[in-house]
PDB file of all heavy atoms in Angstrom:
ATOM      1  N   LYS A  63     -13.110   1.898  -7.879  1.00  0.00           N
ATOM      2  CA  LYS A  63     -14.257   2.004  -6.976  1.00  0.00           C
ATOM      3  C   LYS A  63     -14.129   3.219  -6.066  1.00  0.00           C
ATOM      4  O   LYS A  63     -15.106   3.920  -5.788  1.00  0.00           O
ATOM      5  CB  LYS A  63     -14.377   0.739  -6.125  1.00  0.00           C
ATOM      6  CG  LYS A  63     -14.764  -0.517  -6.882  1.00  0.00           C
ATOM      7  CD  LYS A  63     -14.827  -1.702  -5.919  1.00  0.00           C
ATOM      8  CE  LYS A  63     -15.160  -2.995  -6.644  1.00  0.00           C
ATOM      9  NZ  LYS A  63     -15.160  -4.154  -5.703  1.00  0.00           N
ATOM     10  N   VAL A  64     -12.914   3.455  -5.593  1.00  0.00           N
ATOM     11  CA  VAL A  64     -12.659   4.598  -4.713  1.00  0.00           C
ATOM     12  C   VAL A  64     -12.877   5.902  -5.466  1.00  0.00           C
ATOM     13  O   VAL A  64     -13.556   6.820  -4.979  1.00  0.00           O
ATOM     14  CB  VAL A  64     -11.227   4.524  -4.146  1.00  0.00           C
ATOM     15  CG1 VAL A  64     -10.893   5.781  -3.335  1.00  0.00           C
ATOM     16  CG2 VAL A  64     -11.061   3.280  -3.286  1.00  0.00           C
ATOM     17  N   LEU A  65     -12.324   5.988  -6.674  1.00  0.00           N
ATOM     18  CA  LEU A  65     -12.461   7.213  -7.466  1.00  0.00           C
ATOM     19  C   LEU A  65     -13.913   7.468  -7.842  1.00  0.00           C
ATOM     20  O   LEU A  65     -14.389   8.614  -7.792  1.00  0.00           O
ATOM     21  CB  LEU A  65     -11.596   7.120  -8.725  1.00  0.00           C
ATOM     22  CG  LEU A  65     -10.092   6.953  -8.490  1.00  0.00           C
ATOM     23  CD1 LEU A  65      -9.356   6.949  -9.824  1.00  0.00           C
ATOM     24  CD2 LEU A  65      -9.555   8.035  -7.595  1.00  0.00           C
ATOM     25  N   ALA A  66     -14.638   6.423  -8.200  1.00  0.00           N
ATOM     26  CA  ALA A  66     -16.049   6.586  -8.570  1.00  0.00           C
ATOM     27  C   ALA A  66     -16.869   7.082  -7.381  1.00  0.00           C
ATOM     28  O   ALA A  66     -17.741   7.959  -7.526  1.00  0.00           O
ATOM     29  CB  ALA A  66     -16.606   5.264  -9.088  1.00  0.00           C
ATOM     30  N   ALA A  67     -16.591   6.540  -6.194  1.00  0.00           N
ATOM     31  CA  ALA A  67     -17.316   6.970  -4.998  1.00  0.00           C
ATOM     32  C   ALA A  67     -17.026   8.430  -4.677  1.00  0.00           C
ATOM     33  O   ALA A  67     -17.923   9.182  -4.273  1.00  0.00           O
ATOM     34  CB  ALA A  67     -16.934   6.087  -3.809  1.00  0.00           C
ATOM     35  N   MET A  68     -15.794   8.839  -4.868  1.00  0.00           N
ATOM     36  CA  MET A  68     -15.430  10.227  -4.600  1.00  0.00           C
ATOM     37  C   MET A  68     -16.063  11.170  -5.613  1.00  0.00           C
ATOM     38  O   MET A  68     -16.561  12.243  -5.243  1.00  0.00           O
ATOM     39  CB  MET A  68     -13.910  10.377  -4.595  1.00  0.00           C
ATOM     40  CG  MET A  68     -13.229   9.630  -3.452  1.00  0.00           C
ATOM     41  SD  MET A  68     -11.447   9.889  -3.353  1.00  0.00           S
ATOM     42  CE  MET A  68     -11.397  11.551  -2.669  1.00  0.00           C
ATOM     43  N   HIS A  69     -16.059  10.780  -6.876  1.00  0.00           N
ATOM     44  CA  HIS A  69     -16.715  11.603  -7.904  1.00  0.00           C
ATOM     45  C   HIS A  69     -18.204  11.762  -7.600  1.00  0.00           C
ATOM     46  O   HIS A  69     -18.760  12.864  -7.698  1.00  0.00           O
ATOM     47  CB  HIS A  69     -16.530  10.974  -9.287  1.00  0.00           C
ATOM     48  CG  HIS A  69     -15.211  11.251  -9.916  1.00  0.00           C
ATOM     49  ND1 HIS A  69     -14.811  12.516 -10.294  1.00  0.00           N
ATOM     50  CD2 HIS A  69     -14.176  10.429 -10.244  1.00  0.00           C
ATOM     51  CE1 HIS A  69     -13.607  12.468 -10.830  1.00  0.00           C
ATOM     52  NE2 HIS A  69     -13.199  11.203 -10.807  1.00  0.00           N
ATOM     53  N   ALA A  70     -18.852  10.665  -7.247  1.00  0.00           N
ATOM     54  CA  ALA A  70     -20.291  10.713  -6.966  1.00  0.00           C
ATOM     55  C   ALA A  70     -20.586  11.618  -5.778  1.00  0.00           C
ATOM     56  O   ALA A  70     -21.516  12.438  -5.810  1.00  0.00           O
ATOM     57  CB  ALA A  70     -20.822   9.304  -6.708  1.00  0.00           C
ATOM     58  N   ALA A  71     -19.791  11.497  -4.707  1.00  0.00           N
ATOM     59  CA  ALA A  71     -20.018  12.323  -3.519  1.00  0.00           C
ATOM     60  C   ALA A  71     -19.729  13.796  -3.810  1.00  0.00           C
ATOM     61  O   ALA A  71     -20.415  14.686  -3.295  1.00  0.00           O
ATOM     62  CB  ALA A  71     -19.154  11.832  -2.370  1.00  0.00           C
ATOM     63  N   LEU A  72     -18.738  14.049  -4.643  1.00  0.00           N
ATOM     64  CA  LEU A  72     -18.434  15.435  -5.017  1.00  0.00           C
ATOM     65  C   LEU A  72     -19.594  16.048  -5.783  1.00  0.00           C
ATOM     66  O   LEU A  72     -19.989  17.200  -5.550  1.00  0.00           O
ATOM     67  CB  LEU A  72     -17.161  15.465  -5.857  1.00  0.00           C
ATOM     68  CG  LEU A  72     -16.574  16.843  -6.176  1.00  0.00           C
ATOM     69  CD1 LEU A  72     -16.152  17.546  -4.897  1.00  0.00           C
ATOM     70  CD2 LEU A  72     -15.371  16.697  -7.105  1.00  0.00           C
ATOM     71  N   ASP A  73     -20.174  15.269  -6.682  1.00  0.00           N
ATOM     72  CA  ASP A  73     -21.334  15.760  -7.441  1.00  0.00           C
ATOM     73  C   ASP A  73     -22.567  15.945  -6.548  1.00  0.00           C
ATOM     74  O   ASP A  73     -23.352  16.870  -6.743  1.00  0.00           O
ATOM     75  CB  ASP A  73     -21.667  14.781  -8.573  1.00  0.00           C
ATOM     76  CG  ASP A  73     -20.622  14.797  -9.676  1.00  0.00           C
ATOM     77  OD1 ASP A  73     -19.877  15.787  -9.777  1.00  0.00           O
ATOM     78  OD2 ASP A  73     -20.533  13.801 -10.423  1.00  0.00           O
ATOM     79  N   GLU A  74     -22.697  15.075  -5.546  1.00  0.00           N
ATOM     80  CA  GLU A  74     -23.861  15.142  -4.663  1.00  0.00           C
ATOM     81  C   GLU A  74     -23.734  16.231  -3.598  1.00  0.00           C
ATOM     82  O   GLU A  74     -24.707  16.934  -3.299  1.00  0.00           O
ATOM     83  CB  GLU A  74     -24.050  13.798  -3.942  1.00  0.00           C
ATOM     84  CG  GLU A  74     -24.413  12.639  -4.852  1.00  0.00           C
ATOM     85  CD  GLU A  74     -24.222  11.297  -4.144  1.00  0.00           C
ATOM     86  OE1 GLU A  74     -23.833  11.302  -2.948  1.00  0.00           O
ATOM     87  OE2 GLU A  74     -24.435  10.255  -4.788  1.00  0.00           O
ATOM     88  N   CYS A  75     -22.528  16.357  -3.019  1.00  0.00           N
ATOM     89  CA  CYS A  75     -22.366  17.169  -1.807  1.00  0.00           C
ATOM     90  C   CYS A  75     -21.537  18.430  -1.989  1.00  0.00           C
ATOM     91  O   CYS A  75     -21.564  19.305  -1.113  1.00  0.00           O
ATOM     92  CB  CYS A  75     -21.709  16.330  -0.711  1.00  0.00           C
ATOM     93  SG  CYS A  75     -22.557  14.798  -0.316  1.00  0.00           S
ATOM     94  N   GLY A  76     -20.799  18.531  -3.091  1.00  0.00           N
ATOM     95  CA  GLY A  76     -19.884  19.659  -3.232  1.00  0.00           C
ATOM     96  C   GLY A  76     -18.540  19.348  -2.618  1.00  0.00           C
ATOM     97  O   GLY A  76     -18.252  18.209  -2.248  1.00  0.00           O
TER      98      GLY A  76
END
Side-chain angles (χ1 to χ4, degrees):
K63 292 179 182 178
V64 174
L65 299 183
M68 294 184 75
H69 279 295
L72 188 63
D73 290 340
E74 294 165 1
C75 305

